[in-house]
Amino acid sequence: ATAEETPLDRSIAVDEALMMGLRLREGVDAARFEAVTGAALESPEALDPARVERMIRDGLLVRKGGALAATAHGRKVLNALLAALRT
């Protein structure tokens, strides 16, 4: 049972969804991300599109259909990757 629920503001919801989703091989599903956070996954409100593209070129992220996923190398440096995506 849930004793207490605290609603998250959008920024925290985005951070949490990215942190949890990028740990998975299948990555962050764009439709689910938007349903949970209220923001489109690759929108400037959630992520800096230029940084996403740079991380894809650097081999840290990949697009998998409707998802954004960390590569094997990206998962090894996930904390730094997450910090770079959101700052």
Side-chain angles (χ1 to χ4, degrees), residues 40-63:
L41 177 59
E42 292 196 51
S43 70
E45 185 177 16
L47 296 172
D48 180 335
R51 288 182 190 187
V52 170
E53 290 305 319
R54 187 180 76 237
M55 290 181 182
I56 289 171
R57 283 192 311 272
D58 290 347
L60 299 169
L61 294 174
V62 298
R63 287 191 181 89

Side-chain angles (χ1 to χ4, degrees), residues 3 7-8 19 27 30-31 34 38 41 45 48 55 60 64 79 84-85 87:
L8 301 176
M19 181 175 59
E34 189 166 357
L41 177 59
E45 185 177 16
D48 180 335
M55 290 181 182
L60 299 169
K64 290 183 172 183
N79 288 342
L85 278 172
T87 56

